[in-house]
Amino acid sequence: MKILRNKYTYCMFAALPLLAVQGCSKDFLKEDLITARNTSDFETVAGIDGLVTGLYQTLKYHFNYEWAYATTNYGTDEFWIGGDRTKEMWGTYNATLNSFTGEAESVWDNMYGAINSANTVIAQVPLVFTNESHKNTRLGEGYFMRAFNYFKLVKQYGGVPLKLDPSYTVQLEFFRNSEQEVYDQIISDFSQAYELLPETGGQEGRVTKWAAAHFLAKVYLFRASELYESWNSGSKEADLQKAVDYGKIVIEQSPHSLAQNFSDLWNYTTPDGANERLPEVILAAKFSNNVATAGRYGNQLHLHFPSVYQTLPGMQRDIAGGREFQRLRTSDYSVDVYDRVNDSRFWKSFKTEYLCNKPQAAPVWDVASAPSPALVNKPKFQGGEVSIKYIVNNADDNRYTQDNIKLRAPHMFVRYFSGNNKDFKGNHGNYDASRYLTMSKFADGSRNSVASQTGYRDGILARVAETYLIVAEALGRQGKYELALPYINTIRERAAYKEGEDRSLYVDGGVAYKTNDVVSAGSLISFSDRNTYFESNNISETTAATTNEMRLDAISEIWNATDQFYDALGVNSNEQKFVAFILNERSRELMGELMRWEDLARTKTLVKRALTFSNEAVPSENKHYYRPIPQSFLDVVQKDGKPLSNDEKQAMQNHGF
């Protein structure tokens, strides 16, 4: 739903310019822009094809701007607010997170805009198409996209107005449906999509029946979670079984399989390159370096994670390091949740070293810190050598102090200094709001300049690793713990370092995009210092890697674990421990992938985890499992031809807003 000149209308994407499909090209999203559409276009096959292509374009919204991370990653256990506090209300839950907050309105408007286009597709395809296969595919895409957008809405706002027919004129009268009604509609639509969609998409990036099955599994798991127990307790067991059934369909029958190496997912080497065609990816927003179809934003997720590096002596901003919006500061929980010796996912998700790219400005040794008198006033490092090093150690590490790090050549940022106590709030070491461990999963070295905000890499919306975790969680919630174990172990076995794997070669967002002009690209993976993996873990380079160190032999390992998180969260029963474990495993596998707030909300663990592991977030148990309904909607919606009264607006608003 969108406010246009103070008019509330569903007539959004259906009347806006769209992209037309040019035949069955593999690159079906890279077409010439059409300048205008009218409703008569939707009475033709070409017009509906173009409208469906426009629906695929709406998937890009989830990676475009501030709303991408603010409504999904902020205010959780995984990320704190960084040095730029532009959207701090989402991370703190302060009073400025309210019905006037722009991102809440933007999510609402854009989801409903896509829903109206999907409604047009669903209504018109049976009237326009004669080819049965073509008709079923387009109709399936329409149902899928409507369900996908309503799923986003219900996860953020709870019950919302259901509008299931297209609108081409202004409509002003709406009421909120219940969560149960919205979930029923989502399941119906995804089920229709599953029946209608082909097993193989006609072009790369098209949704298939396997995508519908994945989201059916996810929707059933969500509906069976704690947030909805007041109205869904009677269907919980059936929903959990459906989550298992549909998830197993994806795992056992589809062509989707785990990438061999976790780093393959993030080792982005070129737009539309090999890592964007991995069979693990079930659904992605397809970006490219085609300027004509990039839109206003491109994929901007790469901007929000990097901490500041360019202001340190010997460094300047470059494409590889990223443009540092410093929004999402990695939390202590996000560091501690990994087994950093054996779990390669940590080192393949975060950046711990930077190489000097401005040697003429490198710092010099002073008399007090120089290793020898001959080095006094000489540069501490040369171009291409390690210039910044983040040590990811634990509280019992006594090797580092504020003084002795000055004896090291790189700029040293140490998580715990000698004598620091264990703390989940960041009160230790010399990390700070602007200098912290940067998540590198979404780094985009394909941008055309250091100042560019427009990223070209695809945005992953679903991958089969999550399908495994959905099945595992559903089985565990059924009490079938031993049946859940193989699905957990499959993920953990992929996460483990393999025999002979070089632990010094972590990804940092894609080796091919280390654009350091002062040294040849081939030498950039040879460091003058020991790799941070070995120093942070204080282990020998000859330490063997075994998959067995990551695999769980029995579910009792979860129950009987001496676990810092169980203690901090106060979980005691086996059921509580399993949910805590699976949420931790989802962090290890899916960290930063725009799911966390919704996962914590549906399990009703948001408040406890945020209060325990965040340094600022103070959500309320009675308020913050939902987002505020936008004031721009409430101010224009009508009842019986009249604007809502204040009491009627409040009745339509979520509790506490």
Side-chain angles (χ1 to χ4, degrees):
M1 301 181 186
K2 180 67 175 176
I3 309 305
L4 295 174
R5 297 182 182 176
N6 296 321
K7 294 289 186 180
Y8 184 74
T9 178
Y10 257 108
C11 188
M12 190 190 288
F13 278 46
L16 291 177
L18 294 169
L19 297 175
V21 173
Q22 305 295 323
C24 291
S25 165
K26 175 182 175 182
D27 300 321
F28 76 103
L29 292 180
K30 302 176 185 177
E31 295 82 22
D32 296 331
L33 285 170
I34 292 175
T35 58
R37 283 287 193 193
N38 59 58
T39 56
S40 64
D41 289 304
F42 309 138
E43 298 172 5
T44 67
V45 169
I48 293 296
D49 281 345
L51 185 58
V52 173
T53 296
L55 279 169
Y56 281 96
Q57 294 290 346
T58 68
L59 297 177
K60 296 180 179 181
Y61 168 85
H62 300 277
F63 302 89
N64 276 157
Y65 205 54
E66 307 281 5
W67 49 74
Y69 71 89
T71 64
T72 55
N73 286 341
Y74 256 172
T76 70
D77 46 8
E78 291 184 351
F79 293 98
W80 300 337
I81 302 169
D84 189 314
R85 303 183 63 86
T86 300
K87 299 299 174 185
E88 67 174 86
M89 70 286 288
W90 294 97
T92 63
Y93 300 94
N94 67 29
T96 59
L97 178 57
N98 56 42
S99 61
F100 295 94
T101 305
E103 290 73 34
E105 177 184 344
S106 181
V107 172
W108 181 278
D109 288 350
N110 279 271
M111 296 309 99
Y112 273 113
I115 286 166
N116 193 54
S117 290
N119 285 339
T120 300
V121 172
I122 293 167
Q124 290 298 111
V125 164
L127 305 177
V128 173
F129 285 72
T130 56
N131 180 283
E132 194 70 15
S133 176
H134 196 178
K135 178 177 74 173
N136 287 343
T137 298
R138 292 294 176 264
L139 194 56
E141 288 170 311
Y143 280 119
F144 181 94
M145 293 297 184
R146 186 167 73 182
F148 180 87
N149 286 284
Y150 269 125
F151 190 33
K152 179 68 174 180
L153 286 169
V154 77
K155 288 184 293 183
Q156 289 283 321
Y157 304 98
V160 296
L162 280 174
K163 182 70 165 61
L164 305 178
D165 56 295
S167 296
Y168 303 112
T169 59
V170 173
Q171 290 184 245
L172 299 172
E173 299 209 7
F174 300 95
F175 65 92
R176 286 186 69 177
N177 292 81
S178 67
E179 286 175 322
Q180 183 172 1
E181 290 170 326
V182 177
Y183 267 102
D184 286 346
Q185 187 61 49
I186 292 166
I187 288 170
S188 174
D189 282 353
F190 273 137
S191 298
Q192 290 268 36
Y194 176 76
E195 295 299 328
L196 291 166
L197 287 169
E199 295 185 3
T200 303
Q203 297 90 26
E204 183 182 324
R206 294 272 187 188
V207 293
T208 64
K209 71 185 301 98
W210 316 119
H214 170 90
F215 278 99
L216 276 167
K218 187 167 183 172
V219 169
Y220 278 116
L221 178 64
F222 263 69
R223 195 169 72 167
S225 297
E226 288 76 2
L227 187 61
Y228 310 115
E229 281 186 347
S230 64
W231 56 264
N232 195 51
S233 58
S235 300
K236 181 177 178 179
E237 290 303 314
D239 282 355
L240 290 172
Q241 189 57 50
K242 288 286 190 180
V244 172
D245 292 343
Y246 279 108
K248 289 175 70 174
I249 286 172
V250 177
I251 293 167
E252 297 173 4
Q253 299 180 28
S254 83
H256 295 289
S257 59
L258 293 176
Q260 183 175 0
N261 191 320
F262 184 74
S263 68
D264 293 343
L265 290 158
W266 317 114
N267 190 18
Y268 173 64
T269 56
T270 186
D272 304 319
N275 86 308
E276 300 196 331
R277 297 191 297 273
L278 291 170
E280 180 161 343
V281 179
I282 296 172
L283 179 67
K286 304 294 287 184
F287 293 88
S288 76
N289 57 355
N290 184 326
V291 177
T293 60
R296 177 181 175 188
Y297 299 107
N299 185 344
Q300 295 202 348
L301 199 58
H302 63 92
L303 296 168
H304 306 304
F305 294 91
S307 60
V308 175
Y309 63 92
Q310 64 169 317
T311 58
L312 290 168
M315 294 298 296
Q316 60 187 343
R317 179 183 286 166
D318 60 14
I319 292 178
R323 191 170 172 187
E324 318 107 303
F325 274 30
Q326 52 174 322
R327 300 285 205 272
L328 292 159
R329 177 185 176 188
T330 306
S331 73
D332 276 341
Y333 162 83
S334 289
V335 175
D336 288 325
V337 76
Y338 293 92
D339 167 1
R340 296 192 304 276
V341 173
N342 300 299
D343 193 338
S344 74
R345 291 175 295 190
F346 177 82
W347 303 96
K348 294 167 181 176
S349 298
F350 293 94
K351 184 177 182 67
T352 59
E353 291 183 349
Y354 295 74
L355 307 183
C356 173
N357 62 7
K358 193 177 181 181
Q360 67 274 21
V364 298
W365 293 105
D366 59 24
V367 173
S369 61
S372 71
L375 290 176
V376 173
N377 293 324
K378 298 292 180 64
K380 286 188 170 185
F381 41 75
Q382 304 295 321
E385 293 182 333
V386 176
S387 58
I388 304 172
K389 183 183 280 280
Y390 282 87
I391 302 298
V392 197
N393 59 350
N394 292 323
D396 58 356
D397 187 350
N398 294 316
R399 291 174 294 167
Y400 301 97
T401 67
Q402 289 276 17
D403 290 327
N404 71 20
I405 62 172
K406 298 174 185 177
L407 304 177
R408 300 288 297 275
H411 302 286
M412 297 289 291
F413 296 94
V414 179
R415 186 165 174 246
Y416 283 98
F417 287 130
S418 178
N420 285 162
N421 294 320
K422 177 66 184 174
D423 189 296
F424 282 123
K425 305 290 187 179
N427 300 316
H428 45 77
N430 64 337
Y431 291 16
D432 61 32
S434 294
R435 294 205 168 93
Y436 51 82
L437 199 64
T438 290
M439 172 158 278
S440 59
K441 277 183 175 180
F442 312 107
D444 190 342
S446 66
R447 295 171 297 117
N448 58 20
S449 73
V450 295
S452 175
Q453 297 180 203
T454 302
Y456 302 139
R457 69 183 300 166
D458 291 351
I460 298 175
L461 291 161
R463 55 188 180 91
V464 77
E466 188 194 8
T467 320
Y468 277 91
L469 292 173
I470 289 170
V471 173
E473 182 178 343
L475 287 167
R477 285 177 174 274
Q478 289 179 307
K480 301 174 182 177
Y481 299 119
E482 298 304 325
L483 295 180
L485 204 58
Y487 295 94
I488 296 169
N489 277 337
T490 299
I491 297 299
R492 292 172 71 85
E493 288 163 10
R494 195 267 296 270
Y497 281 104
K498 304 305 185 291
E499 189 72 32
E501 184 173 356
D502 188 344
R503 300 190 182 199
S504 70
L505 297 181
Y506 44 79
V507 172
D508 284 1
V511 170
Y513 285 135
K514 291 185 180 294
T515 53
N516 188 324
D517 295 332
V518 301
V519 66
S520 66
S523 65
L524 288 178
I525 56 176
S526 299
F527 302 133
S528 60
D529 242 348
R530 292 180 67 191
N531 182 275
T532 316
Y533 168 83
F534 299 108
E535 184 165 2
S536 290
N537 292 301
N538 197 21
I539 62 174
S540 166
E541 294 191 27
T542 60
T543 298
T546 65
T547 300
N548 288 334
E549 292 172 329
M550 286 292 293
R551 185 185 297 126
L552 294 171
D553 292 328
I555 205 73
S556 60
E557 292 179 63
I558 297 174
W559 306 157
N560 301 325
T562 302
D563 191 297
Q564 59 183 322
F565 303 113
Y566 295 169
D567 293 340
L569 294 169
V571 298
N572 298 302
S573 69
N574 289 349
E575 293 81 2
Q576 289 174 331
K577 287 182 178 180
F578 181 81
V579 172
F581 168 82
I582 209 74
L583 286 172
N584 292 347
E585 195 65 33
R586 286 183 69 87
S587 277
R588 289 183 277 265
E589 180 67 29
L590 303 167
M591 182 82 68
E593 296 181 42
L594 308 180
M595 302 181 190
R596 192 60 174 179
W597 183 87
E598 292 165 357
D599 274 332
L600 299 189
R602 55 116 176 159
T603 55
K604 293 202 77 173
T605 58
L606 172 69
V607 172
K608 182 63 176 179
R609 280 183 171 256
L611 294 178
T612 301
F613 299 127
S614 176
N615 63 347
E616 291 188 78
V618 188
S620 166
E621 192 76 39
N622 296 320
K623 179 178 181 180
H624 288 120
Y625 289 113
Y626 299 98
R627 305 307 197 182
I629 302 297
Q631 196 67 37
S632 54
F633 164 68
L634 297 174
D635 285 345
V636 296
V637 70
Q638 295 183 0
K639 181 179 179 181
D640 298 328
K642 298 178 181 179
L644 299 184
S645 68
N646 288 337
D647 288 344
E648 288 170 329
K649 291 178 185 179
Q650 192 60 56
M652 192 175 278
Q653 181 58 271
N654 279 326
H655 179 76
F657 291 104

